[in-house]
Amino acid sequence: MKLFTATAVLALMAGLAIADDFPPVSVHLKIGGVS
Amino acid sequence: MKSLEGLEGASNVKSTEKDEFELTLKPGAKLAPSAIKAVLPAKYSVDEMKVTVTAELAGPEKEGETGVRLVLLSGQKVALANRKAKDDKDKVEDVVGKLAEALKSGSKAARVEGVLVEDKDGNLTLQAAKGEGLPTANTEKK
């Protein structure tokens, strides 16, 4: 159980670290149908 | 437009013109014109979606294919193409060639600016106007 919890925590930390590596995406939209 | 604020991962939504909007998306959020269209009232359409994105740079998916693509944090794969010329005099930079060279030289990521288009099957292509290879996707911690 402890091993499972430790593995889950490490996986979560790795996921957060990867997410932190990527800067946000800038988006510019042109929307049709706006009167 | 209020409904854009409901888009998952969106922030800093602001209107620049009557029909033009800017926003920031979290890096792991789904990036596609159809994802934008899904939160808009039915009478509106997404006429153009320009993005500036940093993502993993990858070669062709299958052996024998050519080209480079981006793999987003969300897992979405985006084919790269050079932007279309506006007219005969418009000189288009070979961004795809530049990024293919960068990939060969060891770049693991790229920052690319261009128009994101989606076909009826949901395949994404980024028509790149600008692009540069990066050693990693981490540009914030240099």
Side-chain angles (χ1 to χ4, degrees):
Chain A
M1 184 65 184
K2 276 183 184 171
L3 180 64
F4 175 77
T5 308
T7 308
V9 169
L10 283 174
L12 181 64
M13 286 170 70
L16 289 174
I18 291 167
D20 197 35
D21 280 354
F22 288 72
V25 182
S26 300
V27 179
H28 185 108
L29 295 169
K30 198 177 254 188
I31 302 294
V34 180
S35 52
Chain B
M1 189 172 287
K2 202 80 183 160
S3 49
L4 286 173
E5 289 166 19
L7 183 67
E8 195 182 334
S11 59
N12 302 326
V13 180
K14 59 184 175 189
S15 175
T16 54
E17 294 283 335
K18 193 175 74 174
D19 58 348
E20 293 187 26
F21 299 86
E22 281 181 359
L23 57 95
T24 304
L25 275 181
K26 278 185 189 172
K30 190 180 176 194
L31 191 66
S34 60
I36 305 285
K37 176 77 182 91
V39 299
L40 295 176
K43 64 176 180 172
Y44 298 126
S45 60
V46 180
D47 285 357
E48 189 177 76
M49 182 175 183
K50 274 186 196 168
V51 300
T52 304
V53 60
T54 302
E56 185 189 326
L57 186 61
E61 200 160 11
K62 292 173 192 162
E63 215 171 301
E65 289 181 345
T66 57
V68 281
R69 60 201 169 96
L70 292 176
V71 181
L72 308 183
L73 188 61
S74 60
Q76 291 173 281
K77 290 163 186 169
V78 181
L80 288 171
N82 290 323
R83 73 167 176 87
K84 290 179 179 169
K86 290 172 193 158
D87 53 44
D88 292 345
K89 289 174 188 168
D90 186 19
K91 203 176 172 187
V92 176
E93 186 189 351
D94 183 15
V95 177
V96 174
K98 192 173 140 185
L99 292 175
E101 283 303 314
L103 183 65
K104 277 185 199 167
S105 311
S107 289
K108 298 267 191 291
R111 183 171 178 79
V112 186
E113 186 182 323
V115 175
L116 187 66
V117 293
E118 184 176 17
D119 69 15
K120 59 179 172 54
D121 297 322
N123 298 311
L124 296 166
T125 303
L126 184 52
Q127 297 172 343
K130 290 180 193 171
E132 57 170 340
L134 302 167
T136 70
N138 183 351
T139 55
E140 300 294 302
K141 294 179 187 171
K142 278 182 185 170

